[in-house]
Amino acid sequence: MDRLTSMNVFVRTADLGSFAAAAEALRISPQMVAKHIARLESRLGTLLINRTTRRQHLTDIGRSYYERCKIVLSEAEAADAIALEMKVTPSGTLRVNAPVTFGTSSLAPFITHYLALFPETQVELTLSDRMVDPVEEGYEVILRIGELSDSQMIAYPLRPYRLIACASPGYLAQNGVPETPAELAAHSCLVYGIWSPQAPCRWQFHKDGKMHEIQPEGRLRSNDWRALLHAAVSGYGVTLGPSDVLREEIDAGRLVQVLPDYEGPSRPMHVLTPAGLRQTVKIRSFIKAVQKAFG
């Protein structure tokens, strides 16, 4: 018999005053109540309840044991409550990986909001543009931009990662506003990434079912989006960047969208978790929050 169960039977018997009353309350037989009490007495080597044909009452040791049993049962109940709460309340450290530009500009502000909602959580955010191995490197949630090829991941689709072309008002006033993608050939373009002659960068735009592709040229290329954004705001050319970030600059008047009638490049975006990883409440809550924010 489980000792905690026997303690609970003993306490209920002491509270209710008889084996029969305890049996009715616990929905077991009076004989089973007697077995639980006898089990405790045998283990302790002493009598806990004096039994007569008319009444039952606690011995001196039984009264002391009764008080301690109530404390033990209360602590056990509190421990169960904590465990159950952890199953429904996100807690613990979550390891997340995301691309650098998206992570810096969009995901980081989202994470601070998530941490405010769930104060028992901690997030370790790693930003890198390389393809990470979540199992080998211990990541529980990964954000990816682009086509997926890893079948060992559970993927949840998000809204596409859209790019738009922008330049500063000063640059456009001096150099003119391009009306078509082809006219970007006459402009200084700020290009993300370091590209080789064998694999040049291409900017693609779509309109009316047709694709327009150009090879941007300019004086500045960088693998850091913040450098390009600073250059664009400072009037050094046209850049192609994430719409979520550039909308803030457009609303503030620091940048102007060019080619607004053309749809810029877009890439699929997903939040993923390893297929063999147990879906804890912290993982589920984070993925749900990401889907709400970026879905």
Side-chain angles (χ1 to χ4, degrees), residues 228-240:
L228 299 178
L229 180 59
H230 175 76
V233 172
S234 299
Y236 280 87
V238 180
T239 192
L240 186 71

Side-chain angles (χ1 to χ4, degrees), residues 7-200:
M7 285 182 175
N8 183 54
V9 172
F10 168 68
V11 168
R12 294 300 295 271
T13 301
D15 288 340
L16 298 174
S18 72
F19 286 13
E24 183 178 356
L26 296 170
R27 297 185 178 181
I28 59 177
S29 67
Q31 292 79 11
M32 183 58 69
V33 172
K35 285 183 179 180
H36 279 288
I37 304 301
R39 175 82 174 185
L40 290 175
E41 292 176 331
S42 174
R43 184 177 184 280
L44 297 170
T46 188
L47 196 65
L48 296 174
I49 298 177
N50 283 318
R51 305 154 174 89
T52 68
T53 55
R54 293 187 177 181
R55 54 179 299 190
Q56 298 164 357
H57 62 274
L58 295 175
T59 64
D60 289 341
I61 294 177
R63 279 191 290 272
S64 297
Y65 189 68
Y66 166 79
E67 294 298 333
R68 300 306 299 180
C69 281
K70 288 199 297 182
I71 295 173
V72 170
L73 292 170
S74 177
E75 288 298 319
E77 185 176 349
D80 286 348
I82 291 173
L84 289 172
E85 184 178 358
M86 289 182 68
K87 291 174 66 177
V88 297
T89 303
S91 63
T93 301
L94 185 68
R95 300 196 69 233
V96 180
N97 177 270
V100 175
T101 299
F102 173 76
T104 302
S105 60
S106 300
L107 189 62
F110 159 80
I111 286 178
T112 57
H113 177 67
Y114 175 83
L115 292 174
L117 289 177
F118 302 106
E120 298 300 318
T121 60
Q122 302 89 41
V123 174
E124 292 182 4
L125 174 63
T126 302
L127 303 180
S128 62
D129 290 328
R130 66 179 178 85
M131 193 70 72
V132 300
D133 184 330
V135 177
E136 184 72 22
E137 300 178 52
Y139 293 115
E140 297 165 288
V141 177
I142 303 95
L143 278 294
R144 282 187 181 168
I145 298 171
E147 298 294 337
L148 298 178
S149 59
D150 193 342
S151 61
Q152 301 303 311
M153 304 287 288
I154 300 174
Y156 303 89
L158 304 174
R159 66 172 177 260
Y161 188 72
R162 299 190 181 280
L163 305 179
I164 60 175
C166 290
S168 71
Y171 174 86
L172 295 174
Q174 184 176 354
N175 297 277
V177 179
E179 299 293 337
T180 67
E183 292 181 16
L184 288 176
H187 286 264
S188 177
C189 296
L190 303 168
V191 183
Y192 180 77
I194 305 300
W195 303 87
S196 68
Q198 293 75 27

Side-chain angles (χ1 to χ4, degrees), residues 176-253:
V177 179
E179 299 293 337
T180 67
E183 292 181 16
L184 288 176
H187 286 264
S188 177
C189 296
L190 303 168
V191 183
Y192 180 77
I194 305 300
W195 303 87
S196 68
Q198 293 75 27
C201 175
R202 303 288 185 182
W203 287 1
Q204 294 180 346
F205 299 87
H206 293 81
K207 183 178 181 180
D208 299 330
K210 296 181 179 180
M211 190 265 285
H212 305 264
E213 183 177 86
I214 68 154
Q215 182 176 330
E217 299 290 344
R219 297 172 59 196
L220 177 61
R221 296 172 180 241
S222 177
N223 64 346
D224 188 329
W225 164 247
R226 291 168 296 184
L228 299 178
L229 180 59
H230 175 76
V233 172
S234 299
Y236 280 87
V238 180
T239 192
L240 186 71
S243 61
D244 287 350
V245 180
L246 291 174
R247 287 298 175 194
E248 297 181 11
E249 302 298 326
I250 293 171
D251 292 342

Side-chain angles (χ1 to χ4, degrees), residues 239-274:
T239 192
L240 186 71
S243 61
D244 287 350
V245 180
L246 291 174
R247 287 298 175 194
E248 297 181 11
E249 302 298 326
I250 293 171
D251 292 342
R254 292 185 288 268
L255 291 177
V256 175
Q257 182 178 358
V258 299
L259 306 176
D261 295 333
Y262 290 80
E263 182 180 341
S266 66
R267 303 170 187 168
M269 186 165 64
H270 296 82
V271 55
L272 308 100
T273 188

